[in-house]
Amino acid sequence: MRLSLRFLIPLALALGAIAYGVAPLVDEMTLKWFVRDLDIRKNLIASAVQEPLVELLTDKARDRVRLLRVQELFARILQDERLFALGFCDAGGKLVYRTATLPAEVACRDPGVPGEEPGRLLRQQGGTLHVGASPVLAEGRQLGELLIVHDMSFVERRSADTKKYLVYLFAAIGAVIALITVVIAELSFRGWMAGIKALIRGQSGAVSPEPKARELRPIARDLEAMVRELEAERRMRDESQISWTPENLRNILRDDLKGDEILIVSNREPYIHVRNDGRIEVQRPASGLVTAMEPVMRACSGTWIAHGSGSADREVVDAQDHIMVPPDKPAYRIRRVWLSKEEETGYYYGFANEGLWPLCHIAHTRPVFRAADWEHYREVNRRFAQAVEQESRTEDPIVLVQDYHFALLPRMIRQRLPRATIITFWHIPWPNSEAFGVCPWRAELLDGLLGSSILGFHTQYHCSNFFDSVDRTLEARIDRETSTISFGGDLTEVRRYPISIEWPPAPLAAQRPVAECRAAVRAALGLGTQVQLGLGVDRLDYTKGILERLAAVERLLELEPGLVGRFAFVQIAAPSRSSIEEYQSLDIKVRAAATRINGRFGSPGYQPIVLKIEHHDADLVYTYYRACDICCVSSLHDGMNLVAKEFVAARDDERGVLVLSQFTGAARELAEALIVNPYDTEQCAAALLAALTMAPDEQRDRMRSMRSLIQEFNVYRWAGRMLLDAARMRNRRRVTGPRDGAKMSGLRHL
Ligand code: G6P
């Protein structure tokens, strides 16, 4: 409406102005026409008057009588309303008869001037007069001239009327033109808007990234450019945002993803129901993946699809195998997928944990690949793809696929839900291409992963290894510049997203002050209050370097006998994958190492190694973090290692020292830790000693710096960055068309 007015008013004004400009021209023209008409009229009157006038003029009557008669004749003629005055000039050019109205300025012509003259205009105060003269003839002789004066005020009246009508006409034409233009503009504007909206919603019906409507193509390109600019801006905003909170994450979901549906798939479930002494208990598994994803899910809601592995899991779900969690404050739901013993053995213990786990971790444990395990792995991935399809309420959910248990799942989801945005995160390292190349199903694994829209690793190094593996194995188009791989019609972005923990960590809320934790733990372990404490928290896994850590403690006690009785090391080890031989043998070796060291340096009431091979709740683990002086993370190879980050987060007193393996992803971020090579026992022992003797100020400086980094780079940022990238991708697809659009637009920018 405002647009119409903005257009209509100037147009009407312009036309009005034109009308006013044209009016004088019209005046002049109509005047000429009227003068010509009056000339003709004058001649008509003259010829009509000719006969009676000649009769009177040639009558022998006396002058006085003749005068009266001529005046009578003139008065009769003057009844014509347009005639203003009459006069008669004799042959000598003398005005002999006249009506009273004849203006004084009207005079007789010079008798010597031959022929007739066109009428002339006489402008007076009361208006314009047309003055004409016609000869009066009798038998070929000119008796004189009849002066005929017409009143032209009617011309002015008509001209004013004409002018008025002209303005009205132009204004009306203007209005009609404007109206038609506005209607047409409005209609095409609506058409355009509908087209653009369809374009933005991704309904252009285009198979190619270009919309069907030709006129929309430049706009589509502009929009695409704009979207890219916004994306860049948003990335900057994302990077510069210091405080990432669950609230931010919810905002991203609401604003950037417009409340789109979120599904997570992982093997390990975040809450496990187990039967213990006839009662159902809820356990939180020892899993870096769960530690990271659980707070994200609490913030995002949605559905978490996972293997129901607890002994009481089936008892607590509803008919659709759903259960709301966390139990005390339900925020999202778990959909449990049931696996048979054989499936679990082949898929989980076999291919995932005897094949892929040692394949990806360089820990010198040989991977085992069995065809039967591979079949189960494929089948279970298919089962989870089916569960994703069943759980998704929309055709384009965001699916977060977690870890090495589901390398085939992204492709399988893509086949069932082509419009889904699939973000796969590989929580463990990706090996170099030679190491990966030993896997008999390497091509299938890569193909499966390349069904993802986004594939995430902890470090750039793992991304590069993945690119190399694809390069060696598949005919794919790789662009390291844009971090994209185009394969089988899909475009996958391969990016680095270093995982982290929630800040502040939930278990910290229930903790007592550090001094109390220290005292409580020492009392529980039967240690004196002055005993310094080292801590290791891991799953009992050969990649964690637990044996190497114990060897370093042993070496420390050898080198520093004064520490015997004044230093103890607590190793918490959650039993893990215990039906696998390698894990069983590790269990035996760790116990043996602890026994050996305790035998060498222990005494009644003092054991330098306190081995706790059992499940510990997060609250208790945090109490240990707060109670110890050193936390030692000595993984031989680790994607990230969240224990290192949890320890730092637990120390709000800014005390304690982190000894950290250089082969963890965390070592790239936590540079203020004492970084060690776990294979170098001497170095590790020296680091433990340095940690035990580190001045409180130095401890504080290092802790403070690491704490601020984790606070800033917390798990909400990790998830937020992936979700923002997903939002960017979805936006681009809306502009450039469905899946192909995302693909093409990526390629166009190669
Ligand atoms: C690692 C893996 C996770 C796994 C966790 C615990 O952190 O990346 O996917 O959940 O270990 O292992 P588990 O086999 O007990 O799930």
Side-chain angles (χ1 to χ4, degrees), residues 157-195:
R157 273 198 311 277
R158 277 195 187 173
S159 168
D161 283 352
T162 312
K163 232 191 277 175
K164 196 166 71 191
Y165 292 131
L166 208 66
V167 172
Y168 289 160
L169 182 71
F170 270 90
I173 291 173
V176 171
I177 293 174
L179 213 69
I180 292 170
T181 316
V182 165
V183 168
I184 291 171
E186 200 77 42
L187 287 178
S188 42
F189 183 68
R190 276 186 203 175
W192 272 50
M193 284 311 286

Side-chain angles (χ1 to χ4, degrees), residues 268 286-289 348 357 403-405 427-428 539 576-577:
R268 186 59 68 200
S287 158
L289 178 158
Y348 171 73
W357 181 266
D403 230 349
Y404 60 98
H405 310 89
H427 289 257
I428 62 174
R539 276 181 310 103
S576 179
R577 308 168 192 170

Side-chain angles (χ1 to χ4, degrees), residues 372-528:
D373 290 349
W374 168 249
E375 283 310 321
H376 281 304
Y377 185 83
R378 242 191 354 208
E379 180 49 31
V380 170
N381 271 245
R382 206 172 295 136
R383 293 270 299 286
F384 274 82
Q386 199 181 2
V388 169
E389 195 179 14
Q390 285 164 357
E391 292 301 323
S392 56
R393 282 173 282 108
T394 55
E395 55 170 19
D396 62 346
I398 296 170
V399 190
L400 305 173
V401 176
Q402 305 301 310
D403 230 349
Y404 60 98
H405 310 89
F406 295 116
L408 304 180
L409 188 58
R411 169 80 55 216
M412 292 173 174
I413 297 174
R414 174 71 65 226
Q415 281 157 0
R416 288 164 189 260
L417 298 167
R419 289 174 51 78
T421 302
I422 306 167
I423 306 175
T424 304
F425 193 79
W426 196 260
H427 289 257
I428 62 174
W430 188 273
N432 64 48
S433 58
E434 287 83 4
F436 181 71
V438 307
C439 177
W441 296 284
R442 56 192 176 280
E444 287 86 341
L445 292 172
L446 294 173
D447 172 53
L449 285 169
L450 290 176
S452 316
S453 319
I454 296 174
L455 174 58
F457 295 98
H458 292 297
T459 68
Q460 198 52 48
Y461 181 63
H462 298 155
C463 295
S464 300
N465 282 349
F466 183 79
F467 278 120
D468 292 345
S469 302
V470 173
D471 208 3
R472 274 194 163 217
T473 319
L474 301 177
E475 284 292 325
R477 189 166 166 192
I478 297 172
D479 190 290
R480 290 176 195 248
E481 182 88 9
T482 55
S483 267
T484 51
I485 299 177
S486 173
F487 179 69
D490 289 309
L491 188 83
T492 304
E493 288 190 6
V494 180
R495 294 202 183 280
R496 165 183 167 265
Y497 302 98
I499 206 166
S500 195
I501 56 169
E502 63 179 324
W503 188 279
L508 200 55
Q511 293 298 317
R512 287 179 293 161
V514 166
E516 285 180 35
C517 293
R518 287 180 73 88
V521 165
R522 279 165 181 74
L525 297 177
L527 297 169

Side-chain angles (χ1 to χ4, degrees), residues 236-354:
M236 277 167 61
R237 184 193 73 191
D238 165 29
E239 292 309 323
S240 63
Q241 185 159 348
I242 302 291
S243 137
W244 275 84
T245 59
E247 195 50 39
N248 292 146
L249 211 54
R250 276 191 284 269
N251 290 345
I252 289 175
L253 286 174
R254 193 192 56 217
D255 302 340
D256 296 78
L257 287 161
K258 307 186 182 55
D260 288 338
E261 193 186 1
I262 301 253
L263 299 168
I264 289 191
V265 191
S266 76
N267 173 70
R268 186 59 68 200
E269 53 184 343
Y271 293 88
I272 309 177
H273 290 83
V274 287
R275 239 185 211 286
N276 213 346
D277 292 338
R279 284 198 353 253
I280 294 179
E281 278 175 11
V282 184
Q283 273 188 7
R284 305 288 310 280
S287 158
L289 178 158
V290 170
T291 306
M293 292 310 297
E294 214 273 332
V296 173
M297 263 319 244
R298 270 191 269 122
C300 300
S301 302
T303 304
W304 187 325
I305 304 170
H307 170 209
S309 59
S311 53
D313 272 357
R314 285 179 195 260
E315 296 175 49
V316 293
V317 293
D318 65 15
Q320 280 74 45
D321 300 325
H322 291 150
I323 179 167
M324 290 301 291
V325 288
D328 51 333
K329 203 176 167 199
Y332 65 94
R333 65 180 188 180
I334 299 179
R335 152 76 194 273
R336 285 177 171 151
V337 174
W338 313 114
L339 301 180
S340 68
K341 265 278 149 267
E342 296 72 45
E343 282 171 334
E344 192 180 0
T345 305
Y347 139 81
Y348 171 73
Y349 289 109
F351 194 76
N353 284 315
E354 283 191 280

